[in-house]
Amino acid sequence: MGQRQGDGGGRGTASAWAALGGEPGLIERVGYRGPGGLLPARLAVGTLARGTVAVCALAAAELAAARRGGPVPAVRVDEGAVATAFVSERHLRIDGRPVSAFAPLSRFWRAADGWVRTHANYPHHRARLLRALGLPDGAGVPEVEAELAGRAAEEIEETVYAAGGLAVAARTPGQWARHPQGATVAARPLLTLGPLDAGGPPRVLPPLAGHPVRPAAGLRVLDLTRVIAGPVATRTLALLGADVLRIDAPQLPESQDAHSDTGFGKRSTALDLGAAAGRATFEELLARADVVVTGYRPGALDRFGLAPEELAARRPGLVVARLSAWGDDGPWGARRGFDSLVQVACGIAAVEAGPDGTPGALPAQALDHGTGYLLAAAVLRALTGQSRTGGSFLATLSLAGTAHWLIHDLSDGEGEDGLMNGPGRTPSGAAAPGDRGYDPADHLLETVGPLGRLRHARPPVSFDGAPDTWATPPGRVAADAPVWR
């Protein structure tokens, strides 16, 4: 299929670019190619996916033009590459081995009055879930199933949260709209991006030369994120040339499999910010950083002096990008959350339910991936803005905000993704990927590195002259020294 110019590939690009404060005319630089409908669902997942990737690529092209001079390079959005990248964790193979998926206790459960979903992929979350339910450490699916069947869904939600675990009751979009947190999210924009201070001298970025064009070359990014959304954002910044150093707490280890998917182009280290030596090292890194990306629940890092305003005070001219599950405020603002849980609470699981009413899920962890590309786009747009106005910038996004955008802004009518067709119905126009001439293998690469031979998704962010893969493969979690390159 030939290339489609302008926003004919989906209105998600226009609304996301507007949220980022981009010049509307630049959307005409975006072209789309390949078959649509590769992420079939009742909600407009394809519109979300291509739109978030498109604005990320456009923001990268815009920054490239600011550093190279000349017009903004043309952006190419390949539907197959986007669909493959949005399920990158499913395609990853390490010496032929697929990476681990959800743990046995991360799933839907019947409650006495509905459904709940739990998340227990991390050992400490599993332990807290069992403790909240009064079950022994060795309890498995049968014991949890029996315990939850006799309890009300919202009671489970609150009991598990109080114990530091993760569980949410399944709601419809209407029920979520009436929930205090749902109302809070609905009153906020998709994202915020603006100055943190009164300004300063414009950021001076050296001109770019050579090929491929890496518009973030020479920039240093501190990556304090976990799981998928934040790491997808920083993986994208690494693709575009940034020196990305991921920092994890030694007492809160990350999954190596998860990092193997999102660690391309990055280095990884461990720092205990609660210890004097760890804080001192962090401050040395911050003194030379250009960007800090955080993905912990709001307030969780404030005790370490990592609130955006404090970071910018110590490092003027910094770009701070902050991601959360439920948003910065509201009764759930400080709660932990993951894509799978946000889908359930916000009503996506109800919209995607099966014929028997069993809650469903999107064909990808699209809230994570989509928010990740939006987060990277916000950082890139902030850097372009700094080259004109100077000052420090703050970007804020949430998975719940992206979910609201998907349900209420992108999915209110019929379209190629089969929007809101009703329970149990096949999405309008949906077909098996093979029927559309799409083969994921066309969008996979093989890379050899410290972890072995990796088969992985090709980066979907592309513009004229852009890199087609990362400069380095992922390594071991926390295996690198806490220093800049």
Side-chain angles (χ1 to χ4, degrees):
M1 181 178 293
Q3 181 153 302
R4 308 186 297 276
Q5 289 300 130
D7 197 43
R11 60 178 175 163
T13 305
S15 60
W17 190 242
L20 289 161
E23 180 187 333
L26 287 180
I27 290 177
E28 295 304 316
R29 304 298 295 162
V30 182
Y32 306 84
R33 63 187 180 194
L38 301 180
L39 294 170
R42 297 193 186 95
L43 292 167
V45 182
T47 303
L48 179 150
R50 79 174 66 89
T52 55
V53 169
V55 297
C56 186
L58 187 55
E62 181 188 36
L63 181 59
R67 298 187 66 176
R68 287 168 61 95
V72 173
V75 168
R76 300 183 302 273
V77 179
D78 187 298
E79 300 275 3
V82 171
T84 304
F86 262 62
V87 289
S88 60
E89 63 276 9
R90 299 181 200 169
H91 290 295
L92 182 66
R93 297 292 183 272
I94 304 173
D95 288 333
R97 175 185 67 84
V99 301
S100 58
F102 285 99
L105 299 188
S106 296
R107 50 168 281 187
F108 284 107
W109 310 85
R110 281 193 180 275
D113 60 348
W115 293 87
V116 295
R117 179 148 190 166
T118 55
H119 194 288
N121 283 5
Y122 290 102
H124 58 291
H125 290 156
R126 182 182 186 279
R128 292 169 185 172
L129 171 65
L130 295 176
R131 184 168 63 248
L133 300 179
L135 296 173
D137 288 344
V141 170
E143 293 84 0
V144 174
E145 190 170 45
E147 179 64 30
L148 295 181
R151 299 193 185 199
E154 292 191 22
E155 184 265 322
I156 296 167
E157 179 180 84
E158 293 304 317
T159 298
V160 174
Y161 166 71
L166 291 144
V168 297
R171 294 174 172 83
T172 66
Q175 290 170 330
W176 178 245
R178 294 187 293 274
H179 188 279
Q181 190 62 36
T184 299
V185 171
R188 303 287 185 267
L190 170 61
L191 59 90
T192 64
L193 174 62
L196 255 176
D197 52 35
R203 177 186 289 277
V204 178
L205 293 171
L208 291 176
H211 188 87
V213 180
R214 297 187 188 270
L219 297 166
R220 300 182 180 97
V221 178
L222 288 174
D223 176 4
L224 284 77
T225 69
R226 294 170 64 80
V227 196
I228 297 179
V232 164
T234 52
R235 179 181 71 184
T236 303
L237 296 175
L239 169 76
L240 299 171
D243 181 4
V244 178
L245 181 63
R246 172 161 166 168
I247 298 176
D248 282 283
Q251 64 271 28
L252 197 63
E254 175 63 297
S255 159
Q256 178 61 56
D257 277 356
H259 182 66
S260 298
D261 178 47
T262 59
F264 285 87
K266 309 179 192 179
R267 292 173 301 121
S268 170
T269 194
L271 284 179
D272 184 357
L273 298 183
R279 281 294 301 278
T281 300
F282 180 84
E283 292 302 318
E284 292 174 2
L285 294 167
L286 178 64
R288 299 177 62 200
D290 300 289
V291 179
V292 175
V293 184
T294 66
Y296 292 77
R297 56 199 172 92
L301 299 177
D302 290 4
R303 68 185 186 277
F304 302 120
L306 302 186
E309 295 77 11
E310 293 181 80
L311 288 168
R314 300 202 301 281
R315 175 60 169 161
L318 192 68
V319 173
V320 182
R322 185 167 63 181
L323 165 74
S324 64
W326 306 105
D328 277 4
D329 49 13
W332 283 20
R335 291 196 179 191
R336 300 172 181 87
F338 295 92
D339 180 304
S340 59
L341 301 183
V342 176
Q343 287 193 36
V344 173
C346 294
I348 291 172
V351 173
E352 301 291 340
D356 62 354
T358 302
L362 298 177
Q365 294 190 67
L367 305 182
D368 265 335
H369 286 270
T371 306
Y373 290 112
L374 287 175
L375 189 65
V379 170
L380 296 165
R381 290 237 64 240
L383 292 167
T384 298
Q386 284 182 326
S387 70
R388 299 165 181 160
T389 65
S392 303
F393 276 71
L394 172 64
T396 62
L397 297 92
S398 72
L399 302 184
T402 302
H404 181 86
W405 181 55
L406 172 63
I407 296 170
H408 297 283
D409 297 329
L410 302 182
S411 302
D412 60 357
E414 290 291 334
E416 71 170 34
D417 297 290
L419 317 183
M420 304 291 281
N421 280 323
R425 291 180 59 190
T426 300
S428 172
D435 296 338
R436 294 176 173 265
Y438 161 62
D439 184 351
D442 293 338
H443 307 285
L444 299 175
L445 301 172
E446 282 203 353
T447 301
V448 177
L451 304 177
R453 182 174 294 276
L454 276 65
R455 188 196 76 176
H456 60 93
R458 184 189 304 274
V461 173
S462 182
F463 55 90
D464 283 352
D468 58 8
T469 191
W470 291 267
T472 59
R476 297 285 175 189
V477 172
D480 297 297
V483 296
W484 293 118
R485 285 194 175 109

